[in-house]
């Protein structure tokens, strides 16, 4: 599986990391692993996944396939993830194999189960949106009676990039088939629809020892639930940014996560900062760190899960921006538009070698600038060229 | 050889670059190729070469093996190099295969043949050190009679990192066996030993169309002919730096090179700027560009040989430094020292997955800083830890 080393005694010390998943996060982690001479292997489901095409050593197998998982982690120093799709029961069996699982199953469940995350973080005293578990239509109606319409209906598990999230404006829009999930618990939750001034994300890296660092806050802009672009630093009051960073560090400590985590936060129009969701892996909101910060999130994730010293997170420029390349349909070929896009000075293009499909994230563009506005203008200009027909 | 793409119609436009060689330059070019979704393949001589271990699609074959070379370049959009070892006769045959060779054989000879480079650049009017071809001992003695001792004896071909270069202090030190080379021409040249104030390097990227950009000048420090570290910008008069940049751009234009080139220059204690050598590929003197400049030399090389728009070359910090990791012997294992080195805040470590051997370059460390001195101190601190026994 991994490339042969002909002279193992002569080349000691390379750490071995097994990452379940082979998407763009694993692809960019592979690039960082090359810098650090970390032997990263990925678990892929198909030979055309981004990390496999980038040359990461790989095995094939699904995240729910115990035989594949257990063979995959054999001999690794640590196992980590580019997605949240390994079932909790298998995560616990992985832990019994004497390979450290980072983040641990008890932490990962915060990303796998939105209801658990809301409950546990709310009970721990963190500000979270008002919510209720949903086992049927009446639960939504009852919540709306107390909090008013519209409300937000969210799938408890498996939603991402806007999938599994619906805004309901009135009782007539509530689906009738809101059943329970496989465990017999609620499959949905309902939340107050907040009047938002901004959505923020804070990356935090945390070592097993507990050492943690936060990255400068980024402001994300979603369209139909999917992040379109982000800037850092946001044009928001410094106290709001400090509060976001403080909450993010505390949340990650509460969860007991290791590795890189993204804490997504809401800033309401009244100025309150609420904890929305957590991702326990490198995250789309951290892609600009490759060029914009002293340590990229991919290097940092490897360092954190290996329990190595964390790197500084400072921005190297006054501001940075990142624009996702989301293809409208299969007629758009960003790789073919790349030469034209590179004429935009300072646009840093990352393509994931993914075929275009409606709504699919196939790459991103980062840029530095004297201000967030200027960095975003530059990245947006290149992104528009890449997505041209 | 290359990773399979299951849905070729859905993923159009990826350019195909064939790079002869699979050392650390190819390794870092592979990382850049992943960003740009360029299908880079490398020609390796062994499975433990740095680019192969980084997952670059590869074939095996030596740079002098026509069958391997011609099979290797089939289907590529362009062929380029991470070393200068392909014999000129085979470079010319490659050109006949209808795959553009960038840089072209007439340009590459400037890096392959130091006597040709000195002659041609001298005849074109560039300031170069006084030199003479050497076909025997008398040529050295005659040159020294005119220019004084010491003199510098250089192998016409194949020298690098101090190999093939000797300072001779007196007639008694001149070897007796200075024969001709395979073509019957001089195998050596002799040069004046200059009193140097500084050694500089300027990276230049040039497209086939002629567009070219220079990177900010770096100052290199050699020990026993091998670059130990560099800083940018150098603490030298602005006029000297402007002259170095101007000369570098003109030299690359004269040579007609394409891709990234490094022009190495001497600054004499009298303040004159002379052209020393050229390398027609990404170069050790450009490694800090990965983190320190708006476009890394590896991205830039791909862009240049593909005739794509070149990127801006500005430093992202006031200053940058790079320290080479040169192992004293096989007892030093930088990968094992990596966690300790990463405790140096802001040290950016790149390991090439090469076994340690006396005098072997196995990685480098870059750092940004408010001044060249501070950046160099930081990179040096991490490098010392990596090289500890």
């Amino acid at each position: 599986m991994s490339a042969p080393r002909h002279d193992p005694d002569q080349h000691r010390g390379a750490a071995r990391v097994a990452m379940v998943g082979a998407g763009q996060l694993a692809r960019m982690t592979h690039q960082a692993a090359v810098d650090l001479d970390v032997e990263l292997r990925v678990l892929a489901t198909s030979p055309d996944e981004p990390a496999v095409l980038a040359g990461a050593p790989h095995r094939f197998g699904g995240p729910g396939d115990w035989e594949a998982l257990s063979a995959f982690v054999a001999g690794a120093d640590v196992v980590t993830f580019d997605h949240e799709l390994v079932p909790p029961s298998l995560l616990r069996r992985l832990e019994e194999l004497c390979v450290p699982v980072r983040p641990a199953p008890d932490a990962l469940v915060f990303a796998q189960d939105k209801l658990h995350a809301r409950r546990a973080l709310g009970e721990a005293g963190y500000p979270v949106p008002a919510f209720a578990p949903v086992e049927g239509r009446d639960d939504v109606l009852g919540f709306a009676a107390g909090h008013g319409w519209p409300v937000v209906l969210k799938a408890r598990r498996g939603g991402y990039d806007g999938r599994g999230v619906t805004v309901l404006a009135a009782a007539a829009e509530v689906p009738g088939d809101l059943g329970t999930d496989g465990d017999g618990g609620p499959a949905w939750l309902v939340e107050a629809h907040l009047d938002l001034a901004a959505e923020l994300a804070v990356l935090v890296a945390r070592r097993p020892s507990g050492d943690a660092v936060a990255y400068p806050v980024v402001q994300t802009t979603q369209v139909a639930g999917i992040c379109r672009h982000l800037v850092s630093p946001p044009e928001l009051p410094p106290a709001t940014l400090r509060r976001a960073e403080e909450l993010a560090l505390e949340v990650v400590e509460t969860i007991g996560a290791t590795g890189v985590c993204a804490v997504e936060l809401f800033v309401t129009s009244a100025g309150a900062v609420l904890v929305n969701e957590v991702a326990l892996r490198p995250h789309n909101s951290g892609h600009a760190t490759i060029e914009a910060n002293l340590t990229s999130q991919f290097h940092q994730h490897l360092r954190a899960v290996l329990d190595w010293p964390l790197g500084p997170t400072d921005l190297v420029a006054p501001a940075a921006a990142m624009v996702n390349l989301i293809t409208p349909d299969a007629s758009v070929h960003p790789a073919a538009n790349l030469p034209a896009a590179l004429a935009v000075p300072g646009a840093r293009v990352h393509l994931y070698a993914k075929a275009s499909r409606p709504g699919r994230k196939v790459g991103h563009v980062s840029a530095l600038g004297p201000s967030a506005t200027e960095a975003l203008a530059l990245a947006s200009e290149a992104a528009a060229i890449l997505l041209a027909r």
Side-chain angles (χ1 to χ4, degrees), chain A:
Chain A
M1 169 184 50
S2 48
R5 291 189 178 276
H6 279 215
D7 199 358
D9 287 341
Q10 291 269 325
H11 182 72
R12 287 203 298 260
R16 290 154 301 177
V17 175
M19 180 174 257
V20 179
Q24 60 261 28
L25 301 175
R27 178 180 176 92
M28 292 183 272
T29 306
H30 169 66
Q31 290 173 289
V34 169
D35 283 337
L36 301 177
D37 193 20
V38 164
E39 289 191 30
L40 178 77
R41 67 185 83 161
V42 303
L43 187 65
T45 54
S46 128
D48 61 3
E49 284 190 275
V52 178
L53 292 175
H58 57 277
R59 280 201 178 183
F60 292 109
D65 173 348
W66 174 248
E67 265 189 55
L69 275 175
S70 54
F72 174 65
V73 306
D77 296 319
V78 60
V79 54
T80 188
F81 309 91
D82 103 327
H83 57 56
E84 288 103 11
L85 302 177
V86 180
S89 59
L90 297 191
L91 289 171
R92 293 192 197 286
R93 286 179 68 186
L94 276 180
E95 275 199 313
E96 291 161 14
L97 295 179
C98 297
V99 178
V101 178
R102 292 178 184 154
D106 285 346
L108 273 170
V109 72
F110 279 76
Q112 294 178 315
D113 179 347
K114 289 189 172 71
L115 182 58
H116 171 79
R118 279 275 191 276
R119 274 179 172 151
L121 294 177
E123 284 165 13
Y126 293 101
V128 297
F131 74 98
V134 171
E135 295 189 47
R137 210 169 171 269
D138 287 351
D139 292 328
V140 178
L141 299 176
F143 182 86
H147 293 83
W149 299 96
V151 296
V152 183
L153 184 69
K154 285 189 179 176
R156 180 175 173 184
R157 303 177 199 275
Y160 70 99
D161 278 356
R163 292 177 183 83
V165 177
T166 319
V167 177
L168 305 173
E173 294 183 6
V174 182
D177 57 346
L178 299 170
T180 55
D181 77 354
D183 300 344
W188 303 85
L189 60 161
V190 61
E191 291 185 352
H193 185 264
L194 301 170
D195 189 14
L196 298 183
E199 294 190 54
L200 305 179
V202 182
L203 279 188
V204 172
R206 187 173 177 275
R207 294 175 65 175
S209 65
D211 283 354
V213 291
Y215 280 76
V217 181
V218 305
Q219 178 168 359
T220 59
T221 299
Q222 274 67 231
V223 174
I226 180 166
C227 176
R228 292 283 159 168
H229 59 78
L230 63 82
V231 295
S232 184
E235 289 184 14
L236 290 171
T240 303
L241 302 184
R242 277 198 303 274
R243 177 69 177 143
E245 181 184 319
E246 180 184 272
L247 276 172
L249 280 164
E250 288 173 6
V251 161
V252 170
E253 180 69 28
T254 297
I255 292 174
T258 47
V260 161
C261 317
V263 180
E264 298 182 90
L265 306 111
F266 292 138
V267 182
T268 68
S269 51
V273 183
L274 308 181
V275 177
N276 178 21
E277 293 187 3
V278 292
L280 277 79
R281 48 170 172 74
H283 189 251
N284 189 216
S285 66
H287 287 355
T289 62
I290 296 172
E291 290 93 4
N293 299 73
L294 281 178
T295 308
S296 91
Q297 68 165 341
F298 301 103
H299 292 82
Q300 197 79 290
H301 185 69
L302 290 170
R303 291 163 72 149
V305 299
L306 286 163
D307 203 13
W308 290 356
L310 302 175
T313 60
D314 315 61
L315 282 166
V316 300
M322 189 280 300
V323 176
N324 279 323
L325 297 173
I326 298 164
T327 46
D329 56 54
S331 75
V332 170
H333 298 286
N337 294 329
L338 180 58
L342 292 175
V344 179
R348 316 287 271 270
V349 180
H350 298 257
L351 299 179
Y352 307 153
K354 288 162 77 170
S356 298
R357 288 207 292 257
R360 195 178 203 199
K361 214 183 289 171
V362 303
H364 73 268
V365 184
S366 297
L368 307 178
S371 70
T373 311
E374 285 164 273
L376 182 58
L378 211 150
S380 299
E381 184 186 348
I385 294 170
L386 288 161
L387 293 173
R389 278 195 179 79

